[in-house]
Amino acid sequence: QQQVRQSPQSLTVWEGETAILNCSYEDSTFDYFPWYWQFPRESPALLIAIRPVSNKKEDGRFTIFFNKREKKLSLHITDSQPGDSATYFCAASGSGGNYKPTFGKGTSLVVHP
Amino acid sequence: EAAVTQSPRNKVTVTGGNVTLSCRQTNSHNYMYWYRQDTGHGLRLIHYSYGAGNLQIGDVPDGYKATRTTQEDFFLLLELASPSQTSLYFCASSEDRANSDYTFGSGTRLLVI
């Protein structure tokens, strides 16, 4: 059972465009949603995270939009740069029995110059 | 600097062989995790631990054992390695059980021939 789904599986944008990566989840008790990015031949690293008390979290060019009712969130990367090319993982965890983070399968983003 | 260190970086073994992957964290984190990463599957949790002597079963535990000998050290054991266990393995640590961010090690690439 896949509790965290990501789409699209891969995404290509031009430099300067806005990339939108989507994530949805099933368990309504999830209450923490970090995004990790992973560059080729490197390990995942935390990029940005959000808690459901807020419907938006911004960090520079990276913004998470969160819709609790629909159990969806999205990561927007504005003014995309070639250096943003990476695989992005959406994760979810909760304070209850499902506290261990569940990762989506990732979105591979390529930003062409 | 706080870190998660994995060894070895690369390992080749034969089918039926015995393999131990090592992980040490200097973050003073309570939780440690072992993940495998495969194309099309993202990050899948094998085992995790919330302290020395503790072991919890993850989502894909078959064929793997793990042991947490100290706060810092977490080992993954493959006692009868199979080609299906060829993968990239990541160790990670987190401070708390819920709503915590992961610090990942640099990974161990295992090939079972």
Side-chain angles (χ1 to χ4, degrees):
Chain A
Q1 180 185 7
Q2 188 180 350
Q3 294 204 52
V4 176
R5 290 186 171 85
Q6 290 187 245
S7 65
Q9 187 174 354
S10 62
L11 177 65
T12 300
V13 299
W14 292 102
E15 182 176 356
E17 292 185 333
T18 296
I20 299 176
L21 290 67
N22 301 303
C23 179
S24 64
Y25 62 98
E26 298 179 2
D27 193 328
S28 59
T29 66
F30 285 145
D31 57 10
Y32 184 61
F33 301 90
W35 285 81
Y36 290 81
W37 57 352
Q38 183 180 26
F39 298 99
R41 295 172 296 282
E42 294 189 14
S43 55
L46 179 70
L47 173 61
I48 187 173
I50 192 169
R51 302 181 192 277
V53 294
S54 173
N55 58 13
K56 181 181 177 181
K57 177 73 176 293
E58 203 168 348
D59 185 356
R61 297 185 293 107
F62 300 89
T63 302
I64 300 174
F65 293 94
F66 182 75
N67 185 323
K68 186 174 182 179
R69 183 180 61 84
E70 295 187 5
K71 299 181 188 175
K72 292 181 178 180
L73 56 162
S74 60
L75 175 67
H76 292 226
I77 307 173
T78 58
D79 188 25
S80 295
Q81 301 297 308
D84 298 331
S85 298
T87 299
Y88 291 77
F89 293 100
C90 172
S93 66
S95 302
N98 63 344
Y99 69 88
K100 64 180 191 296
T102 300
F103 285 83
K105 293 184 177 182
T107 293
S108 177
L109 173 67
V110 174
V111 181
H112 284 305
Chain B
E1 180 179 319
V4 178
T5 303
Q6 292 183 236
S7 62
R9 289 299 303 271
N10 297 280
K11 177 72 175 179
V12 180
T13 191
V14 296
T15 299
N18 194 317
V19 178
T20 299
L21 307 184
S22 303
C23 177
R24 165 164 284 199
Q25 57 103 357
T26 58
N27 302 323
S28 299
H29 285 168
N30 293 316
Y31 287 80
M32 296 185 73
Y33 311 81
W34 278 107
Y35 281 89
R36 61 178 290 174
Q37 184 174 33
D38 306 284
T39 303
H41 292 279
L43 292 158
R44 293 184 290 175
L45 181 64
I46 303 171
H47 291 299
Y48 61 105
S49 165
Y50 55 73
N54 176 264
L55 181 64
Q56 303 293 315
I57 305 300
D59 300 319
V60 289
D62 293 346
Y64 301 95
K65 293 183 179 179
T67 180
R68 180 92 175 266
T69 55
T70 65
Q71 175 84 350
E72 295 77 21
D73 298 301
F74 196 29
F75 300 92
L76 185 67
L77 296 82
L78 292 71
E79 294 183 333
L80 286 172
S82 73
S84 66
Q85 295 175 307
T86 293
S87 186
L88 178 59
Y89 291 87
F90 285 107
C91 176
S93 71
S94 68
E95 181 176 359
D96 202 351
R97 57 171 281 177
N99 305 337
S100 289
D101 301 320
Y102 280 6
T103 300
F104 283 86
S106 54
T108 294
R109 191 168 294 279
L110 175 66
L111 173 62
V112 184
I113 58 176

